[in-house]
Amino acid sequence: MARRKSVMQVLAEAYKAKQQAKAAELKRAQQKEQAAAKAAEERRRRQKREAAKAEAERARLVAAGQKHLEREQAAQAREVARIERELAKRQAERQRAAEQREREQARVEKERQKQARETRLLELKADAEKRTRQAQERLAELQAVLTDRPRNLKSRHPYVEQALAKQGPQGVADAVEEVLRGSSVPKGCRVGAGAAYIPEAQQLLIEVELPQLEVVPAVMAYRVVAQRTETVAQPRKEAETKKVYRTLVARLALRALDEAFSTTPPDLVTTVVFNGHVSAKDRATGRPVRPCLVSVVAQREQFDELVLDEPELDAQESLKYLGAVVSRHPHDLEAVPPVVEIDLSRYRITADVGAVAGLDSRPDLLQMDPYAFERLVRELFEAMGFETWRTQGSRDDGVDAVAVQRDPVGTTVFAIQAKRSKNAVPVETVRALAGVMHDKAASRGVLVTTSWFGKASADFAHRNGRMQLINGRNLKALLKEHLNMDVLIGLPKTPPGWQPSDIQ
């Protein structure tokens, strides 16, 4: 029979079993913990392996991406390089094309400039030849001033005789002046001319305005300088210019004498007194001077001995033959004393017979002689307080008289034109007087007529401001007021706005 265990044994066994159970439990716990730790460690190692694997994969991917990126970048770089090469190639081609165009344009421009220069040289050459030809023609014209004189002046003898019969000595002077002023001398060779006639002595006095030295062309020829593409003048030698001028002055004097003798009948004029003056400025003082360069008293018989058409005729020697006084240095305005002083000027005073004394009671202005009417107008202005004188060659100048009004302030010059007409004065006549005023440096202009002026004439005179228009009825009133003359104006009809008493 089994031995019964004591309580102590039972307790001890129980305690031991409990302890063993705890130990087993603890061991199991430890094993569990170890297993957990091992599992955790395993997980960590797995996670580490996975992380390392992931890192390795990421690194692989990064490396692969980097390689891909590098490949892409390399491809892009190659593409960019290709594009740049292509662009550079195109740019180079464009540059070459531009340079080629520039070279072509430069070549074309050079060719154009060459052609333009050649054309310009041809133009300059043609112009130089033309100007040379003009200078030579001008010189030839001056040298032929005597041989190219008018040949048909003797046909004017009846006209001169009629002028003497109708107008007296002044008619002869006017006829000669008409020839002298209308003569076809080269331009600038005869600036002006005046004449007077002394019937008792059968003597004609003429005064001619000679040209200055500048009338002779200062240039002999023109040539082209190709290097500078310009025309250069070849000046005439000073000595030659002075010689040409001296000869020209002598020829002009002989031509004027020939025209005077040829125009007048031998039984009216046997002697011509010629004075040739030149208007210039004194180089020392700057003042106007008018030296006499040629003066001669020529007898018709002696002058007729000259063969003016002879090519070998020396005009200066011819003047010496006639006994002329000639300036040795006309180009220097060296004056000579005139053989006879001639009191002529552009507006010289002439001795007129009074027009008033010869008029019958109640004369008709339209029936008066033109010269008598001009004298009447001058006498009217004299009665109004003006100093007046007749102008020579008035039909050429468009001025019949000159009047001067003097006062303490100064002197006013009036250019007077008298129109004996039965029709309205055209505006062109008024404008012509304005031009003459400017040409003669007159301060005022007066147009006197027996008829009337239209609105255009009145408007023009008003705009001008220096012109006065005197129509027929105003003239009639002025004659009554200043000369106590009661005149008629035989107009075919009463002008617009007038009363019959204005003309009756």
Side-chain angles (χ1 to χ4, degrees), residues 254 257 296-299 302-303 306 317-324:
L254 290 179
L257 288 170
V296 61
V297 179
Q299 302 297 327
Q302 187 181 18
F303 186 82
L306 301 179
E317 292 296 325
S318 297
L319 289 177
K320 291 181 182 180
Y321 174 76
L322 297 175

Side-chain angles (χ1 to χ4, degrees), residues 418-491:
K419 287 292 182 184
R420 190 175 56 88
S421 173
K422 61 182 179 180
N423 300 314
V425 178
V427 67
E428 290 76 13
T429 302
V430 183
R431 291 173 178 164
L433 178 59
V436 173
M437 288 168 55
H438 176 75
D439 183 56
K440 305 302 180 186
S443 304
R444 303 294 297 271
V446 182
L447 184 55
V448 183
T449 184
T450 54
S451 58
W452 69 98
F453 300 95
K455 183 177 183 302
S457 298
D459 291 343
F460 180 84
H462 178 72
R463 290 194 304 271
N464 183 276
R466 298 188 297 121
M467 300 181 66
Q468 182 178 359
L469 305 181
I470 300 178
N471 59 24
R473 62 177 177 180
N474 292 338
L475 175 60
K476 187 173 185 295
L478 290 172
L479 291 172
K480 181 66 174 177
E481 177 183 355
H482 296 282
L483 295 178
N484 196 28
M485 290 183 60
D486 188 11
V487 299
L488 297 173
I489 306 177
L491 296 175

Side-chain angles (χ1 to χ4, degrees), residues 237-367:
K237 293 181 180 180
E238 183 178 358
E240 181 182 354
T241 301
K242 293 177 179 179
K243 179 180 178 181
V244 172
Y245 181 65
R246 286 194 300 270
T247 303
L248 175 64
V249 168
R251 288 172 175 169
L252 286 172
L254 290 179
R255 173 165 175 161
L257 288 170
D258 179 74
E259 291 172 349
F261 278 124
S262 299
T263 303
T264 55
D267 58 340
L268 296 183
V269 175
T270 59
T271 305
V272 173
V273 179
F274 171 87
N275 283 347
H277 293 263
V278 60
S279 296
K281 292 292 180 68
D282 191 316
R283 297 173 185 174
T285 64
R287 293 181 176 275
V289 292
R290 196 167 178 268
C292 180
L293 303 184
V294 182
S295 182
V296 61
V297 179
Q299 302 297 327
R300 184 183 288 270
E301 292 182 359
Q302 187 181 18
F303 186 82
D304 287 343
E305 295 178 2
L306 301 179
V307 184
L308 300 181
D309 293 323
E310 172 56 46
E312 296 183 5
L313 179 75
D314 189 325
Q316 298 177 74
E317 292 296 325
S318 297
L319 289 177
K320 291 181 182 180
Y321 174 76
L322 297 175
V325 180
V326 183
S327 172
R328 296 184 61 185
H329 304 96
H331 43 81
D332 291 330
L333 304 181
E334 182 181 277
V336 297
V339 177
V340 177
E341 291 284 355
I342 303 177
D343 186 15
L344 294 176
S345 64
R346 188 64 172 168
Y347 295 111
R348 65 178 173 85
I349 302 176
T350 60
D352 282 325
V353 178
V356 177
L359 294 177
D360 295 331
S361 177
R362 297 275 293 168
D364 186 348
L365 298 182
L366 288 178
Q367 300 302 318

